[in-house]
Amino acid sequence: MKSIPELVASHKAFFLSQGTKDVSYRLLLLKALKQEIIKKEQDIFDALYNDFRKSEFETYISEFGLVISELNLAIKKLKTWSRPKRVRASILTFPSKDYIYKVPYGSVLVIAPWNYPFLLAMNPLIMAIAAGNTVVLKPSELTENTSKVLTKIIKNVFPEDVCTSIEGGIPLATALLAQKWDYIFFTGSTKVGKIVAEAAAKHLTPVTLELGGKSPCIIDDTIDVKLIARRLVWGKLLNGGQTCIAPDFVIVKSSIKANLVNAIKKEITRRYSEDIFQSGDFPRIINSKNLKRLVSLIENESIIFGGEIDEKTNYLSPTLVDSPKLDSKIMTEEIFGPILPILAYEAEKDIAKILNGIERPLAFYVFSKNKSFYSKIITTYNFGGGVINDPLIHFGNSKLPFGGIGASGMGNYHGIHGFDTFSHKKAIMKRGTWLDLPLRYAPYKGKINLLKTIFKYFG
Ligand code: NAD
């Protein structure tokens, strides 16, 4: 087995050999990857179930299906995306033909988290390969079964110096980050995002940071609470609440708070039965460390639903917390589990008081039929992306860029935005040789007025 510096050197050598510049080679790889993933569908389902009891349905809707869609899109559009685009020339540089070439950066490092371990490893990898880069993937050490399947798939599809998956934890990630990459794509916590940014800065390596945060959900009194409860419970409890864009907490108009709480309680029971522990549809917390962290968030809070724990199986039932203090642990830390704090507001200034106290979130949700209310809310606050009247599903349209702002990240991907993320836009101008205007050449005496006129009319 190659050492890390040897592996990186072999990736750089392959890139320099121009092997990945050939679009038909990239297409071949993407098609082979799709075949292999389809072949391993059941292994992927089993791995996710064994890692944190994620059901086949949730794995399909939130991981497998999205990966296949991204592959289909890349395979369909790759030739168009990778063609040089001609842009309108400027009169100031006449005569010329001007182009943008989207070219690969070179060798890319992708570091993935555990919570959607298949999706969040594969989707950046697909677009990095589509754009013509070589890729080293480090999947999460916390989802061992999925990481093993990822490594197997990649080994079966790619030559080692084009794409490799290496499994390991923090020491491996640290060793990888010490290398000089041409691009780093990291998905994970804000804390580790800072470590990645610092390592990248040493080599001036560009980075995309897909991080987390507290994504709020604002609800006014203009929508049927049953519909809100149905959508909210789905978005909060998918993946056991371990979703980077899950609604972290709710701020609801005080006049409907009691009705909403009742509707949410009924909805949870309707979806997962009275005995949620036995439901095959509700995943577990990833490990005991995270379970303990979640328990510490609710210890001194007013629990109005749930709060049941089974330490042996890392189970925490869907839990509602009533009006926590703004400086409490639960309101200052990303929750990342099946706990939903519910706060109330009377006037818009109450919303501002809460939201101005938190870092810029990755996602933002507002439930309202009142256009002036939701328009004001979505333009007032800074956040990565959001949805009016539903949680999570902006993730599902690959035409929308997905990424954070400030503490929730930098850069974005999905669909062509992913292809663009992994491509450098090289500007190329082809100058005509049939005309060579003398204006720019010295001596400049007597030319400034003509220059000013040209800039005035054509600049
Ligand atoms: P994490 O930051 O602990 O780990 C992510 C990756 O970084 C893992 O591969 C891990 O091995 C590696 N890592 C951990 N410590 C490291 C260190 N000191 N140096 C170098 N690498 C290190 O995150 P996680 O627990 O796997 O995932 C949960 C977090 O990720 C949450 O904050 C969540 O919001 C965020 N997240 C964001 C997105 C997004 O798309 N923006 C998606 C999923 C998860």
Side-chain angles (χ1 to χ4, degrees):
M1 202 180 132
K2 286 189 178 106
S3 69
I4 287 171
E6 282 167 351
L7 180 69
V8 178
S10 76
H11 274 229
K12 289 193 186 292
F14 191 90
F15 185 73
L16 288 176
S17 78
Q18 306 299 309
T20 62
K21 298 277 176 73
D22 180 357
V23 172
S24 45
Y25 178 58
R26 298 183 211 165
L27 267 174
L28 209 78
L29 292 175
L30 293 174
K31 285 178 185 167
L33 180 60
K34 183 179 161 187
Q35 286 314 314
E36 186 65 18
I37 289 174
I38 289 170
K39 218 159 74 182
K40 293 266 186 307
E41 179 175 323
Q42 194 56 48
D43 293 358
I44 296 163
F45 289 157
D46 293 346
L48 267 292
Y49 185 83
N50 291 330
D51 280 331
F52 58 108
R53 271 197 52 174
K54 185 160 171 167
S55 66
E56 285 193 9
F57 185 89
E58 284 203 1
T59 296
Y60 197 94
I61 196 176
S62 68
E63 309 222 24
F64 189 88
L66 294 175
V67 169
I68 295 295
S69 301
E70 196 78 340
L71 268 168
N72 286 340
L73 184 72
I75 290 166
K76 188 168 157 211
K77 296 282 186 181
L78 187 55
K79 283 193 177 141
T80 315
W81 289 347
S82 47
R83 232 174 260 142
K85 300 270 173 319
R86 187 159 171 195
V87 295
R88 196 189 274 256
S90 163
I91 200 90
L92 298 176
T93 56
F94 181 81
S96 75
K97 286 180 179 170
D98 299 4
Y99 301 88
I100 299 170
Y101 282 66
K102 290 187 184 172
V103 297
Y105 279 97
S107 48
V108 169
L109 172 65
V110 174
I111 299 181
W114 62 264
N115 64 325
Y116 288 83
F118 187 68
L119 172 77
L120 299 175
M122 272 300 169
N123 274 15
L125 183 148
I126 289 165
M127 285 305 166
I129 292 289
N133 301 280
T134 64
V135 179
V136 171
L137 166 72
K138 195 208 81 65
S140 174
E141 68 279 24
L142 301 189
T143 37
E144 266 179 36
N145 297 293
T146 310
S147 295
K148 278 203 184 86
V149 178
L150 278 164
T151 303
K152 211 184 243 172
I153 290 172
I154 288 167
K155 204 170 174 192
N156 288 350
V157 171
F158 296 98
E160 198 194 21
D161 44 7
V162 174
C163 184
T164 320
S165 165
I166 325 182
E167 291 165 60
I170 298 174
L172 174 65
T174 308
L176 287 167
L177 286 170
Q179 301 297 309
K180 185 173 186 222
W181 301 93
D182 297 306
Y183 203 96
I184 299 176
F185 190 103
F186 171 80
T187 309
S189 59
T190 301
K191 184 176 138 221
V192 179
K194 289 178 185 172
I195 297 171
V196 172
E198 209 175 315
K202 288 204 177 97
H203 301 289
L204 288 179
T205 300
V207 285
T208 294
L209 301 176
E210 294 284 343
L211 311 177
K214 291 183 83 61
S215 300
C217 180
I218 316 299
I219 300 171
D220 77 1
D221 54 0
T222 57
I223 298 198
D224 169 32
V225 287
K226 270 195 196 149
L227 178 71
I228 302 172
R230 191 156 63 233
R231 293 184 175 183
L232 188 58
V233 165
W234 173 77
K236 180 69 194 185
L237 298 183
L238 184 83
N239 220 40
Q242 302 163 112
T243 302
C244 57
I245 49 172
D248 189 281
F249 59 91
V250 160
I251 313 176
V252 58
K253 181 84 177 168
S254 54
S255 56
I256 65 153
K257 185 179 164 201
N259 281 348
L260 181 71
V261 168
N262 278 336
I264 293 174
K265 287 179 184 172
K266 278 192 190 137
E267 181 63 22
I268 294 172
T269 308
R270 187 175 299 130
R271 299 296 150 208
Y272 301 101
S273 82
E274 294 280 352
D275 190 359
I276 305 173
F277 185 75
Q278 296 300 338
S279 163
D281 295 333
F282 188 65
R284 295 302 182 251
I285 304 305
I286 186 65
N287 56 20
S288 58
K289 189 176 156 207
N290 267 286
L291 180 69
K292 280 197 188 96
R293 182 185 63 77
L294 288 166
V295 170
S296 78
L297 296 185
I298 52 176
E299 249 159 19
N300 299 314
E301 299 297 342
S302 153
I303 297 172
I304 49 174
F305 185 83
E308 287 101 31
I309 296 152
D310 180 59
E311 283 176 3
K312 268 195 230 119
T313 56
N314 293 327
Y315 169 78
L316 172 60
S317 69
T319 301
L320 303 180
V321 170
D322 187 27
S323 311
K325 289 204 179 98
L326 297 188
D327 61 356
S328 60
K329 220 171 153 192
I330 201 168
M331 285 307 291
T332 48
E333 231 182 67
E334 178 184 8
I335 296 175
F336 217 58
I339 307 168
L340 186 65
I342 300 176
L343 298 94
Y345 77 92
E346 285 292 342
E348 280 176 36
K349 66 173 174 27
D350 305 333
I351 299 175
K353 192 177 158 207
I354 301 169
L355 298 188
N356 290 335
I358 61 167
E359 293 277 13
R360 293 172 170 184
L362 180 58
F364 197 106
Y365 308 109
V366 49
F367 281 85
S368 172
K369 278 188 187 164
N370 179 345
K371 192 170 177 204
S372 70
F373 178 74
Y374 66 69
S375 303
K376 188 167 172 207
I377 292 279
I378 59 167
T379 48
T380 300
Y381 300 101
N382 268 309
F383 52 89
V387 190
I388 299 157
N389 297 334
D390 214 345
L392 310 195
I393 55 161
H394 57 311
F395 194 95
N397 180 359
S398 62
K399 288 197 171 59
L400 291 171
F402 180 82
I405 175 171
S408 60
M410 58 178 81
N412 55 65
Y413 71 134
H414 285 190
I416 191 168
H417 309 289
F419 184 84
D420 285 349
T421 283
F422 290 108
S423 303
H424 166 65
K425 292 191 187 73
K426 197 188 250 178
I428 297 292
M429 183 183 280
K430 181 173 177 285
R431 286 276 278 152
T433 50
W434 56 273
L435 179 70
D436 199 23
L437 294 170
L439 179 66
R440 66 175 158 153
Y441 299 116
Y444 302 133
K445 195 160 180 272
K447 290 180 175 175
I448 186 96
N449 285 340
L450 177 57
L451 187 69
K452 283 181 179 175
T453 308
I454 290 173
F455 267 86
K456 184 171 173 192
Y457 290 105
F458 303 112

